[in-house]
Amino acid sequence: MASNPANLWVLLGLGIAGILLVTKKLKRAIREDFGAFVEKLQLLPPPPPPPPKAPHPLTALTFAVSDVFDIEGYVTGFGHPDWVRTHDVASQTSPVVSALVEGGATCIGKTVVDELAYSINGENKHYGTPINPAVPACVPGGSSSGAAVAVAANLVDFSLGVDTVGGVRLPAAFCGIIGFRPSYGVIPHMGVLAVSASLDTVGWFARDPNVMRRVGHLLLQLPFGAQRNPRQVIIADDCFQLLKIPADRIAQVVIKSTEKCFGRQILKHENLDNLLLSKVPSLKLLHDKKTNGELRTSSIRLFANIMRLLHRYEFRNNHEEWINIEKPNFDHNMLAEIHEIIDIPNAEMEIYKSIRDEIRASINSLLKDDGILVIPTTAYLPPKLGAKEMSSEDYQILSFCLLSIASLSGCCQVTVPLGLYEKCPVSVSFIARHGGDRFLLDTVQNMYATLQEQVDMLAKSKVSHTPDGQERSAEMAKEKGNQAFKEKQWQKAISCYTEAIKLNGKNATYYSNRAAAYLEVGSFLQAEADCTKAINLDKKNVKAYFRRGTAREMIGYYKEAIEDFQYALVLEPTNKRAALSAERLRKMFQ
């Protein structure tokens, strides 16, 4: 009997050791595939034809598919175990997947997507969030998170995803790989679960632009043809102003690469916001209706709101019955968004449809057959896992502003990685007209090596300026900005103040002055952000408080606007403009 306790401790020790060993193995397994897969499988291609016939176009390549594509004999999981439980196995494989296998590629598994492929964050509480190989502490982006991770981790050569409101482009940007959203409707959507039918496209990821192009030629069924170089590359300056990192970090790489590949003469700068408002009648009509002619709302911001509305509306129509019957364990924010959508009046739906047609025609007219529009893929670096930032309105609206251009117009877009900033991936996006997919794929292949060369040169370059010299240059840039502001050249003023900030980012006045210029062009979110930066640098900057109050009033943050006006009055009791603004808002909301 005396030995029983000892035996018990031995058994207990062995049990704990076994548990630790199993846990260690599980952790190792998770690390090995980065949590990208929900199911491993194998779809083998047919035998290659004997010589001298050419091999299949995708011979020796491996790929994975997001868990929204049907594969015969497997349940298409849609990112949720309750969906798996309540649906049967697929009776046939999606034609898109079959085409890739018949083209010589081997499919090795199905990858994680956000719950019902709804979000752009890449988090999934049921299957775990795939680990972003580029920056493990940050989200991989969604909805096709696992597919992006599988490529970024070098587990496959390419992968398939679905891009509705950014489901391929955003994770490509966050994971530092290439992501392609084709023109709307050019790839059949049979055998793919619908998210939002008017926005859904089948997209794909790759690390190598040549692989990206080979996959595209097969899926798009493109015949042989000579490659064409772009005759114009248009930098959307106002879109780059949305960036939360230095805009030149991306724009200059594209500009120098374009000059080297195709010559300087094809470069052009445009304000996309003004262009769209002037050329899209239905958007102008909606703009005037929403603002009553008083508040100038960005056309791209309207795009974002329309896209979000359509996404939620069509998603609810597709899946609300299943959600109500099964009552699955869902993300609370997602449920709230689904249920808050009300029926859209037919007249308003017609406006949205007109905007879709007109914006496509407008971009097609701008780019023609040989033009590229350059925009940032996203305004933000990848957020940290679980960051509250991702649920904020600012993050959502700024992200969707950039993603909505291709989603609403139906034009094709490619995300191209441009190295790291603060140890996080950054990227740029190229957009071509609807139907210009081949031209866009060819352009990326032609420019890719030069883009990466410019990124490397930027990383290695160390400009040697003395602090005094930089400060003098910054002041000169500020004075140029002040002169442009007086002459009502708002965009020029913004550029000058931006240059001053690049030379000396610790001067609150530069941010406050740029905010004033942003207010003039209706970029209220950017104005608010600049004022906040100015206030952080100088707590007694009266103008920054007043301008932030103005920006917040325009955005609709009335309580915060009143607080800013009141604080400006505390610092400067004789400020009549702040007093009048605070009093006007108080009367409105009493």
Side-chain angles (χ1 to χ4, degrees):
M1 296 293 291
S3 63
N4 284 345
N7 291 338
L8 182 61
W9 282 110
V10 170
L11 290 172
L12 184 59
L14 289 171
I16 292 173
I19 291 170
L20 290 174
L21 183 62
V22 170
T23 303
K24 186 176 181 180
K25 286 183 177 180
L26 285 172
K27 287 183 177 179
R28 187 183 300 118
I30 290 171
R31 284 199 299 271
E32 285 171 357
D33 74 358
F34 289 79
F37 290 88
V38 291
E39 196 159 16
K40 293 290 186 70
L41 52 89
Q42 196 171 60
L43 298 181
L44 295 173
K53 291 185 178 179
H56 297 307
L58 304 182
T59 294
L61 297 182
T62 59
F63 74 104
V65 300
S66 294
D67 198 15
V68 295
F69 292 85
D70 287 346
I71 293 181
E72 184 179 353
Y74 295 87
V75 178
T76 308
F78 216 7
H80 203 294
D82 287 342
W83 185 275
V84 175
R85 178 178 55 80
T86 56
H87 288 78
D88 296 328
V89 299
S91 59
Q92 59 184 7
T93 298
S94 166
V96 177
V97 178
S98 296
L100 294 171
V101 173
E102 290 165 9
T106 300
C107 180
I108 68 166
K110 306 180 77 167
T111 54
V112 175
V113 295
D114 290 29
E115 289 181 328
L116 272 60
Y118 183 83
S119 171
I120 60 170
N121 298 334
E123 296 177 313
N124 189 310
K125 65 183 179 183
H126 307 289
Y127 299 105
T129 298
I131 299 168
N132 186 337
V135 51
C138 296
V139 296
S143 62
S144 302
S145 53
V149 167
V151 170
N154 204 19
L155 304 175
V156 291
D157 296 299
F158 68 94
S159 60
L160 286 185
V162 167
D163 191 307
T164 303
V165 294
V168 167
R169 293 164 288 165
L170 194 70
F174 283 179
C175 293
I177 56 176
I178 312 171
F180 192 81
R181 175 192 165 99
S183 299
Y184 178 77
V186 298
I187 296 179
H189 215 263
M190 293 177 292
V192 187
L193 291 175
V195 180
S196 176
S198 69
L199 302 171
D200 291 345
T201 56
V202 172
W204 57 97
F205 303 92
R207 296 180 305 279
D208 182 339
N210 184 51
V211 171
M212 172 69 62
R213 182 170 173 265
R214 286 165 63 189
V215 173
H217 276 233
L218 188 145
L219 290 180
L220 297 164
Q221 299 180 10
L222 296 174
F224 175 80
Q227 293 192 19
R228 291 183 294 112
N229 290 335
R231 294 190 179 181
Q232 60 172 340
V233 174
I234 300 171
I235 312 290
D237 287 334
D238 50 332
C239 290
F240 279 91
Q241 291 164 15
L242 300 177
L243 277 171
K244 297 299 183 181
I245 65 171
D248 67 323
R249 173 65 182 77
I250 297 175
Q252 287 304 313
V253 168
V254 175
I255 289 169
K256 290 178 180 179
S257 299
T258 301
E259 290 174 351
K260 185 173 180 179
C261 290
F262 311 118
R264 185 184 184 89
Q265 70 278 4
I266 73 169
L267 279 165
K268 186 178 179 183
H269 292 260
E270 285 279 3
N271 185 307
L272 189 62
D273 184 26
N274 291 341
L275 181 78
L276 295 175
L277 276 178
S278 65
K279 292 192 174 182
V280 183
S282 295
L283 185 64
K284 182 69 167 63
L285 175 66
L286 184 64
H287 169 271
D288 293 341
K289 177 182 177 183
K290 294 288 184 185
T291 61
N292 295 321
E294 297 172 2
L295 171 60
R296 189 183 186 285
T297 301
S298 160
S299 61
I300 304 173
R301 186 185 176 93
L302 281 175
F303 263 27
N305 286 327
I306 293 169
M307 182 184 73
R308 293 167 80 191
L309 189 151
L310 284 172
H311 177 220
R312 296 174 187 179
Y313 181 82
E314 293 180 350
F315 181 91
R316 190 195 70 173
N317 287 347
N318 287 336
H319 305 300
E320 186 179 34
E321 183 178 357
W322 178 81
I323 292 170
N324 289 338
I325 292 173
E326 296 302 329
K327 295 182 171 48
N329 179 19
F330 263 159
D331 175 83
H332 295 302
N333 292 332
M334 176 180 171
L335 275 178
E337 287 184 1
I338 294 169
H339 291 309
E340 77 179 7
I341 286 293
I342 58 174
D343 290 333
I344 305 171
N346 289 334
E348 193 163 333
M349 282 298 295
E350 289 304 314
I351 292 177
Y352 297 155
K353 291 176 182 177
S354 297
I355 288 173
R356 174 191 299 281
D357 296 338
E358 289 169 10
I359 181 58
R360 180 181 297 180
S362 176
I363 292 182
N364 286 353
S365 173
L366 171 69
L367 299 178
K368 301 182 173 60
D369 287 338
D370 47 22
I372 297 290
L373 178 66
V374 182
I375 66 169
T377 307
T378 174
Y380 291 84
L381 295 174
K384 298 287 186 183
L385 289 162
K388 294 181 179 179
E389 172 189 27
M390 290 182 287
S391 59
S392 71
E393 182 65 13
D394 281 356
Y395 176 83
Q396 294 284 321
I397 199 70
L398 277 186
S399 297
F400 286 136
C401 277
L402 294 166
L403 295 167
S404 64
I405 297 168
S407 286
L408 272 188
S409 69
C411 295
C412 50
Q413 177 176 339
V414 64
T415 297
V416 181
L418 294 184
L420 303 176
Y421 178 78
E422 296 184 349
K423 299 182 179 180
C424 289
V426 293
S427 71
V428 71
S429 273
F430 297 156
I431 295 176
R433 67 168 181 84
H434 183 271
D437 304 72
R438 178 200 201 117
F439 166 67
L440 186 57
L441 288 166
D442 290 347
T443 299
V444 170
Q445 187 185 39
N446 290 341
M447 289 188 69
Y448 191 82
T450 307
L451 286 166
Q452 303 315 309
E453 286 174 9
Q454 292 298 324
V455 169
D456 291 341
M457 289 174 62
L458 181 66
K460 293 174 183 176
S461 66
K462 293 182 180 179
V463 182
S464 57
H465 293 296
T466 63
D468 288 344
Q470 280 188 272
E471 288 180 8
R472 283 195 298 271
S473 298
E475 277 297 299
M476 291 174 62
K478 183 202 75 172
E479 290 305 320
K480 289 181 181 178
N482 290 349
Q483 184 60 36
F485 191 94
K486 289 176 184 177
E487 295 170 359
K488 297 184 179 181
Q489 298 178 17
W490 315 124
Q491 292 296 342
K492 183 178 178 181
I494 289 169
S495 297
C496 292
Y497 293 137
T498 300
E499 181 63 25
I501 289 167
K502 285 190 290 184
L503 292 166
N504 182 7
K506 301 297 183 182
N507 191 310
T509 300
Y510 302 162
Y511 288 98
S512 180
N513 285 8
R514 189 169 70 173
Y518 274 139
L519 287 173
E520 294 293 342
V521 299
S523 296
F524 304 121
L525 287 172
Q526 289 75 26
E528 183 195 26
D530 270 358
C531 289
T532 300
K533 181 67 175 180
I535 291 165
N536 289 338
L537 292 168
D538 179 7
K539 301 295 184 186
K540 296 183 179 180
N541 193 315
V542 176
K543 289 181 178 178
Y545 279 106
F546 178 78
R547 288 165 182 165
R548 189 170 72 173
T550 303
R552 286 176 167 177
E553 180 182 356
M554 296 298 96
I555 296 169
Y557 300 160
Y558 301 115
K559 179 182 176 182
E560 293 84 352
I562 292 171
E563 291 174 354
D564 278 341
F565 292 139
Q566 289 176 333
Y567 204 90
L569 284 171
V570 170
L571 294 171
E572 190 178 281
T574 59
N575 191 317
K576 293 182 180 180
R577 294 176 66 194
L580 289 171
S581 297
E583 184 61 25
R584 182 184 70 253
L585 286 179
R586 277 196 295 266
K587 287 180 179 179
M588 286 175 61
F589 296 100
Q590 279 179 350

